[in-house]
Amino acid sequence: MIDELKGDAIERMEKSVAALRSNLARLRTGRAHAGLIDHLAAPYYGADTPLRQVASITVEDARTLAVSPWEASMVQPIEKAIRESGLGFNPVTAGNVIRVPIPELNEERRRELVRVARQEAEMGRVAVRNIRRDALADVKQLVKEKMATEDEEKRAAEEIQKLTDEHVGRMDAMLADKEQEIMSI
């Protein structure tokens, strides 16, 4: 029973790490990558649909993304979605291809992005700690119901703490890498 609780905790912690990885990938650095805009939504037959579902997004060079809608009627809505996203991009349409030049980041904007990255990492660490708290509460409940001994509870608490430390460490390493990537010119 305790092994099932630990397995569930591991699975949930892994999902938290994956969510942080995804959120950090969306943060803009000086280089172009599809993750910068693939989550933006454009109206498609009355429903807001992510760009990755209505267009092909490719990297032309280090500073330019190319968005190729699958339907010609989607060029204007996609261009508008990118322009109004608040990301500071100014797309240029050439026929059925939308080119999105990625402007250079200034020092102030870089520091702001580092702050955002730190907030994302802190939310991830809090999520992992909440998972630890839930797992420990479940183990205590097992002891209370006489389905586990106090020795098993102590051993499980130590193992859950090790898991927590490992996942928080991975998040911290991801944050350090992202900070270095953002601040490099």
Side-chain angles (χ1 to χ4, degrees):
M1 194 66 170
I2 288 179
D3 289 337
E4 291 175 18
L5 292 175
K6 286 191 294 191
D8 180 55
I10 290 171
E11 184 179 323
R12 292 172 57 201
M13 286 180 187
E14 288 294 330
K15 287 181 181 176
S16 293
V17 170
L20 176 62
R21 184 177 295 113
S22 171
N23 289 343
L24 289 179
R26 287 195 178 124
L27 285 180
R28 186 176 137 204
T29 59
R31 292 187 298 276
H33 60 89
L36 293 172
I37 61 172
D38 70 352
H39 63 284
L40 298 178
Y44 184 64
Y45 291 106
D48 282 345
T49 308
L51 293 187
R52 66 178 162 264
Q53 294 179 12
V54 296
S56 164
I57 304 170
T58 57
V59 178
E60 280 192 345
D61 57 47
R63 294 229 168 270
T64 309
L65 292 172
V67 181
S68 302
W70 294 322
E71 294 181 24
S73 64
M74 288 301 296
V75 172
Q76 293 303 323
I78 289 173
E79 183 180 4
K80 183 177 179 186
I82 294 169
R83 185 170 281 118
E84 294 177 354
S85 67
L87 296 173
F89 297 147
N90 191 18
V92 178
T93 303
N96 284 342
V97 177
I98 304 166
R99 287 189 173 69
V100 184
I102 309 298
E104 188 71 38
L105 292 173
N106 60 20
E107 186 72 19
E108 181 182 336
R109 180 71 177 136
R110 289 178 191 273
R111 293 196 190 286
E112 186 179 320
L113 287 173
V114 167
R115 273 195 302 277
V116 170
R118 287 179 180 161
Q119 289 172 345
E120 291 287 343
E122 183 58 30
M123 289 186 333
R125 288 189 290 260
V126 167
V128 168
R129 289 188 210 115
N130 287 341
I131 294 166
R132 175 190 62 192
R133 182 196 64 216
D134 294 345
L136 292 176
D138 291 344
V139 170
K140 285 189 189 299
Q141 186 63 32
L142 288 177
V143 171
K144 192 175 183 181
E145 295 172 358
K146 306 283 190 218
M147 296 176 76
T149 65
E150 289 187 12
D151 287 343
E152 291 172 326
E153 175 190 16
K154 185 174 182 181
R155 190 171 24 259
E158 289 172 0
E159 291 173 6
I160 291 170
Q161 183 60 47
K162 283 181 186 175
L163 289 172
T164 302
D165 293 342
E166 174 191 331
H167 286 85
V168 166
R170 286 172 48 195
M171 289 180 165
D172 289 342
M174 287 172 21
L175 174 63
D177 290 347
K178 190 64 176 185
E179 284 181 358
Q180 184 177 359
E181 182 182 339
I182 290 172
M183 293 309 289
S184 66
I185 296 176

Coordinates of all heavy atoms in Angstrom, one line a residue, residues 53-108:
Q53 N -2.4 23.5 -34.2 CA -3.4 22.6 -34.7 C -3.9 23.2 -36.1 O -4.7 22.5 -36.7 CB -4.6 22.5 -33.8 CG -4.2 21.7 -32.5 CD -5.3 21.6 -31.5 OE1 -6.5 21.9 -31.9 NE2 -5.0 21.2 -30.3
V54 N -3.6 24.4 -36.4 CA -4.1 25.0 -37.7 C -2.9 25.4 -38.6 O -3.2 25.9 -39.7 CB -5.0 26.2 -37.4 CG1 -6.2 25.8 -36.7 CG2 -4.3 27.3 -36.7
A55 N -1.7 25.2 -38.2 CA -0.6 25.7 -39.1 C 0.7 24.9 -38.7 O 0.8 24.3 -37.6 CB -0.3 27.1 -38.9
S56 N 1.6 24.9 -39.6 CA 2.9 24.4 -39.4 C 3.9 25.5 -39.0 O 3.9 26.5 -39.6 CB 3.4 23.8 -40.7 OG 4.8 23.5 -40.7
I57 N 4.6 25.3 -37.9 CA 5.5 26.3 -37.4 C 6.9 25.8 -37.5 O 7.2 24.8 -36.9 CB 5.2 26.7 -35.9 CG1 3.7 27.2 -35.8 CG2 6.1 27.8 -35.4 CD1 3.2 27.3 -34.4
T58 N 7.7 26.5 -38.2 CA 9.1 26.1 -38.4 C 10.1 27.2 -38.1 O 9.7 28.4 -38.1 CB 9.4 25.6 -39.9 OG1 9.0 26.7 -40.8 CG2 8.5 24.4 -40.2
V59 N 11.3 26.9 -37.9 CA 12.4 27.9 -37.6 C 13.1 28.1 -38.9 O 13.7 27.2 -39.4 CB 13.3 27.4 -36.5 CG1 14.4 28.4 -36.2 CG2 12.5 27.1 -35.2
E60 N 13.1 29.3 -39.4 CA 13.8 29.6 -40.7 C 15.3 29.8 -40.4 O 16.1 29.3 -41.1 CB 13.2 30.8 -41.3 CG 12.0 30.6 -42.1 CD 11.6 31.7 -43.0 OE1 12.1 32.9 -42.8 OE2 10.8 31.5 -44.0
D61 N 15.5 30.7 -39.4 CA 16.9 30.9 -38.9 C 16.8 31.2 -37.4 O 15.8 31.1 -36.8 CB 17.6 32.0 -39.7 CG 16.8 33.3 -39.7 OD1 16.4 33.8 -38.6 OD2 16.7 33.9 -40.8
A62 N 17.9 31.6 -36.8 CA 18.0 31.9 -35.4 C 17.1 33.0 -34.9 O 16.7 33.0 -33.8 CB 19.4 32.2 -35.0
R63 N 16.6 33.8 -35.8 CA 15.8 35.0 -35.4 C 14.4 35.0 -36.1 O 13.7 36.0 -36.0 CB 16.5 36.3 -35.7 CG 17.8 36.4 -34.9 CD 17.7 37.8 -34.3 NE 18.7 38.0 -33.3 CZ 18.5 37.8 -32.0 NH1 17.3 37.3 -31.6 NH2 19.4 38.0 -31.1
T64 N 14.1 34.0 -36.9 CA 12.8 34.0 -37.6 C 12.0 32.7 -37.6 O 12.6 31.7 -37.8 CB 13.1 34.4 -39.1 OG1 13.9 35.5 -39.2 CG2 11.8 34.7 -39.9
L65 N 10.7 32.8 -37.3 CA 9.8 31.7 -37.4 C 9.0 31.9 -38.6 O 8.7 33.0 -39.0 CB 8.9 31.7 -36.2 CG 9.5 31.4 -34.8 CD1 8.5 31.6 -33.7 CD2 10.0 30.0 -34.8
A66 N 8.6 30.7 -39.2 CA 7.7 30.7 -40.4 C 6.5 29.9 -40.0 O 6.6 28.8 -39.6 CB 8.4 30.1 -41.6
V67 N 5.3 30.6 -40.2 CA 4.1 29.9 -39.9 C 3.3 29.7 -41.2 O 3.0 30.7 -41.9 CB 3.2 30.8 -38.9 CG1 1.9 30.1 -38.6 CG2 4.0 31.1 -37.7
S68 N 3.0 28.4 -41.5 CA 2.3 28.1 -42.8 C 1.0 27.5 -42.4 O 0.9 26.3 -42.1 CB 3.1 27.1 -43.6 OG 4.4 27.6 -43.9
P69 N -0.1 28.3 -42.5 CA -1.4 27.8 -42.2 C -1.8 26.7 -43.2 O -1.4 26.7 -44.4 CB -2.3 29.0 -42.4 CG -1.4 30.2 -42.4 CD -0.1 29.7 -42.9
W70 N -2.6 25.8 -42.8 CA -3.1 24.7 -43.6 C -4.2 25.1 -44.5 O -4.5 24.5 -45.5 CB -3.5 23.5 -42.8 CG -2.3 22.9 -42.1 CD1 -1.0 22.8 -42.6 CD2 -2.2 22.4 -40.8 NE1 -0.2 22.3 -41.7 CE2 -0.8 22.0 -40.6 CE3 -3.1 22.2 -39.8 CZ2 -0.4 21.4 -39.4 CZ3 -2.7 21.7 -38.6 CH2 -1.3 21.3 -38.4
E71 N -4.9 26.2 -44.2 CA -5.9 26.8 -45.0 C -5.6 28.3 -45.3 O -5.2 29.0 -44.3 CB -7.3 26.7 -44.3 CG -7.8 25.3 -44.1 CD -9.2 25.3 -43.4 OE1 -9.9 26.3 -43.5 OE2 -9.5 24.2 -42.8
A72 N -5.7 28.7 -46.5 CA -5.4 30.1 -46.8 C -6.3 31.1 -46.1 O -5.8 32.2 -45.8 CB -5.6 30.3 -48.3
S73 N -7.5 30.7 -45.7 CA -8.4 31.6 -44.9 C -7.9 31.9 -43.5 O -8.3 32.8 -42.9 CB -9.8 31.0 -44.9 OG -9.8 29.8 -44.1
M74 N -6.9 31.1 -43.1 CA -6.4 31.3 -41.7 C -5.2 32.3 -41.6 O -4.8 32.6 -40.5 CB -6.0 29.9 -41.1 CG -7.1 29.0 -40.8 SD -8.2 29.7 -39.6 CE -7.2 29.9 -38.2
V75 N -4.7 32.8 -42.7 CA -3.5 33.7 -42.7 C -3.8 34.9 -41.8 O -3.1 35.2 -40.9 CB -3.1 34.0 -44.1 CG1 -2.0 35.1 -44.0 CG2 -2.6 32.8 -44.9
Q76 N -4.9 35.6 -42.1 CA -5.2 36.8 -41.4 C -5.5 36.6 -39.9 O -4.9 37.3 -39.0 CB -6.4 37.6 -42.0 CG -6.1 38.1 -43.4 CD -4.9 39.1 -43.4 OE1 -4.7 39.8 -42.5 NE2 -4.1 39.0 -44.4
P77 N -6.3 35.6 -39.5 CA -6.6 35.3 -38.1 C -5.3 35.0 -37.3 O -5.1 35.4 -36.2 CB -7.6 34.2 -38.0 CG -8.2 34.2 -39.4 CD -7.2 34.8 -40.3
I78 N -4.4 34.2 -37.9 CA -3.2 33.8 -37.3 C -2.3 35.0 -37.1 O -1.7 35.2 -36.0 CB -2.4 32.7 -38.1 CG1 -3.2 31.4 -37.9 CG2 -1.0 32.5 -37.6 CD1 -2.7 30.2 -38.8
E79 N -2.1 35.8 -38.1 CA -1.3 37.0 -38.0 C -1.8 37.9 -36.9 O -1.1 38.4 -36.1 CB -1.3 37.7 -39.4 CG -0.4 39.0 -39.4 CD -0.4 39.7 -40.7 OE1 -1.2 39.3 -41.6 OE2 0.3 40.7 -40.8
K80 N -3.1 38.1 -36.8 CA -3.7 38.9 -35.8 C -3.5 38.3 -34.4 O -3.1 39.1 -33.5 CB -5.2 39.0 -36.1 CG -5.9 39.9 -35.1 CD -7.4 40.1 -35.4 CE -8.1 41.0 -34.4 NZ -9.5 41.0 -34.6
A81 N -3.6 37.0 -34.3 CA -3.3 36.4 -33.0 C -1.9 36.6 -32.5 O -1.7 36.8 -31.3 CB -3.7 34.9 -33.1
I82 N -1.0 36.5 -33.4 CA 0.4 36.7 -33.1 C 0.7 38.1 -32.7 O 1.4 38.4 -31.7 CB 1.4 36.2 -34.2 CG1 1.3 34.7 -34.5 CG2 2.8 36.6 -34.0 CD1 1.9 34.2 -35.7
R83 N 0.1 39.0 -33.5 CA 0.4 40.5 -33.2 C -0.2 40.9 -31.9 O 0.4 41.7 -31.1 CB -0.3 41.3 -34.4 CG 0.0 42.8 -34.2 CD -0.4 43.6 -35.4 NE 0.7 43.4 -36.5 CZ 0.5 42.9 -37.6 NH1 -0.7 42.4 -38.0 NH2 1.5 42.7 -38.5
E84 N -1.4 40.4 -31.5 CA -2.1 40.8 -30.3 C -1.8 39.9 -29.1 O -2.4 40.1 -28.0 CB -3.6 40.8 -30.6 CG -4.0 41.8 -31.6 CD -5.5 41.7 -31.9 OE1 -6.2 40.8 -31.4 OE2 -6.0 42.6 -32.6
S85 N -0.8 39.1 -29.2 CA -0.4 38.1 -28.1 C 0.3 38.8 -26.9 O 0.3 38.3 -25.9 CB 0.5 37.0 -28.6 OG 1.7 37.6 -29.0
G86 N 0.8 40.0 -27.2 CA 1.5 40.7 -26.1 C 3.0 40.2 -26.0 O 3.7 40.6 -25.0
L87 N 3.4 39.4 -26.9 CA 4.8 38.9 -26.9 C 5.8 39.9 -27.6 O 7.0 39.7 -27.6 CB 4.9 37.5 -27.6 CG 4.1 36.4 -26.9 CD1 4.1 35.2 -27.8 CD2 4.7 36.1 -25.5
G88 N 5.3 40.9 -28.2 CA 6.1 41.9 -28.9 C 6.6 41.5 -30.2 O 7.6 42.0 -30.7
F89 N 5.8 40.6 -30.9 CA 6.2 40.1 -32.2 C 5.4 40.9 -33.2 O 4.2 41.2 -33.0 CB 5.9 38.6 -32.4 CG 6.7 37.8 -31.5 CD1 6.2 36.6 -31.1 CD2 8.0 38.1 -31.1 CE1 6.9 35.7 -30.2 CE2 8.7 37.3 -30.3 CZ 8.2 36.1 -29.9
N90 N 6.0 41.2 -34.4 CA 5.3 41.9 -35.5 C 5.4 41.0 -36.7 O 6.4 41.1 -37.5 CB 6.0 43.2 -35.7 CG 5.2 44.1 -36.6 OD1 4.0 43.9 -36.9 ND2 5.8 45.1 -37.2
P91 N 4.4 40.1 -36.9 CA 4.5 39.2 -38.1 C 4.3 39.9 -39.4 O 3.7 40.9 -39.5 CB 3.3 38.3 -37.8 CG 2.4 39.1 -37.0 CD 3.2 40.0 -36.1
V92 N 5.0 39.3 -40.4 CA 4.9 39.8 -41.8 C 4.4 38.7 -42.7 O 4.9 37.6 -42.7 CB 6.3 40.3 -42.3 CG1 6.3 40.8 -43.7 CG2 6.9 41.3 -41.3
T93 N 3.4 39.0 -43.5 CA 2.8 38.0 -44.3 C 3.3 38.2 -45.8 O 3.4 39.2 -46.3 CB 1.2 38.2 -44.4 OG1 0.7 38.1 -43.1 CG2 0.6 37.1 -45.2
A94 N 3.7 37.0 -46.3 CA 4.2 36.9 -47.7 C 3.5 35.8 -48.3 O 3.9 34.6 -48.2 CB 5.7 36.7 -47.7
G95 N 2.3 36.1 -49.0 CA 1.5 35.0 -49.6 C 0.8 34.2 -48.5 O 0.1 34.8 -47.7
N96 N 1.1 32.9 -48.5 CA 0.5 32.1 -47.5 C 1.4 31.8 -46.3 O 1.1 30.9 -45.5 CB 0.0 30.8 -48.1 CG -1.3 31.0 -48.9 OD1 -2.0 31.9 -48.7 ND2 -1.5 30.0 -49.8
V97 N 2.5 32.4 -46.2 CA 3.5 32.2 -45.2 C 3.6 33.5 -44.3 O 3.7 34.6 -44.8 CB 4.9 31.8 -45.7 CG1 5.9 31.7 -44.6 CG2 4.8 30.6 -46.6
I98 N 3.5 33.3 -43.0 CA 3.7 34.4 -42.1 C 5.1 34.2 -41.4 O 5.4 33.2 -40.8 CB 2.6 34.3 -41.0 CG1 1.2 34.3 -41.6 CG2 2.7 35.5 -40.0 CD1 0.1 33.9 -40.7
R99 N 5.9 35.3 -41.6 CA 7.2 35.3 -41.0 C 7.1 36.1 -39.7 O 6.6 37.2 -39.8 CB 8.2 35.8 -42.0 CG 8.5 34.8 -43.1 CD 9.7 35.2 -44.0 NE 10.0 34.2 -44.9 CZ 9.3 33.8 -45.9 NH1 8.2 34.4 -46.1 NH2 9.7 32.8 -46.7
V100 N 7.7 35.5 -38.7 CA 7.7 36.2 -37.4 C 9.2 36.5 -37.0 O 9.8 35.6 -36.5 CB 7.0 35.4 -36.3 CG1 6.9 36.1 -35.0 CG2 5.6 34.9 -36.8
P101 N 9.7 37.7 -37.2 CA 11.0 38.0 -36.7 C 11.0 38.2 -35.2 O 10.1 38.7 -34.6 CB 11.3 39.3 -37.4 CG 10.0 39.9 -37.9 CD 9.0 38.8 -37.9
I102 N 12.1 37.6 -34.6 CA 12.2 37.7 -33.1 C 13.2 38.8 -32.8 O 14.4 38.7 -33.2 CB 12.8 36.3 -32.6 CG1 12.0 35.1 -33.1 CG2 12.8 36.4 -31.1 CD1 10.5 35.1 -32.7
P103 N 12.7 39.9 -32.2 CA 13.5 41.0 -31.9 C 14.5 40.7 -30.8 O 14.3 39.8 -30.0 CB 12.6 42.1 -31.5 CG 11.3 41.4 -31.1 CD 11.3 40.1 -31.8
E104 N 15.6 41.5 -30.8 CA 16.6 41.4 -29.8 C 16.1 41.8 -28.4 O 15.3 42.7 -28.3 CB 17.8 42.3 -30.1 CG 19.0 42.1 -29.3 CD 19.7 40.8 -29.5 OE1 19.8 40.4 -30.6 OE2 20.2 40.2 -28.5
L105 N 16.5 41.1 -27.4 CA 16.0 41.5 -26.0 C 16.9 42.5 -25.4 O 18.2 42.3 -25.5 CB 15.9 40.2 -25.1 CG 14.9 39.2 -25.5 CD1 15.1 37.9 -24.6 CD2 13.5 39.7 -25.3
N106 N 16.4 43.5 -24.7 CA 17.2 44.4 -24.0 C 17.4 43.9 -22.5 O 16.8 42.9 -22.1 CB 16.6 45.8 -24.0 CG 15.3 45.9 -23.3 OD1 14.9 45.0 -22.6 ND2 14.5 46.9 -23.6
E107 N 18.3 44.5 -21.8 CA 18.7 44.0 -20.5 C 17.5 44.0 -19.5 O 17.3 43.1 -18.7 CB 19.8 44.9 -19.9 CG 20.4 44.4 -18.6 CD 21.3 43.2 -18.7 OE1 21.7 42.9 -19.9 OE2 21.5 42.5 -17.7
E108 N 16.7 45.0 -19.6 CA 15.6 45.1 -18.6 C 14.6 44.0 -18.9 O 14.1 43.3 -17.9 CB 14.9 46.5 -18.8 CG 13.7 46.7 -17.9 CD 13.0 48.0 -18.2 OE1 13.6 48.9 -18.7 OE2 11.8 48.1 -17.9

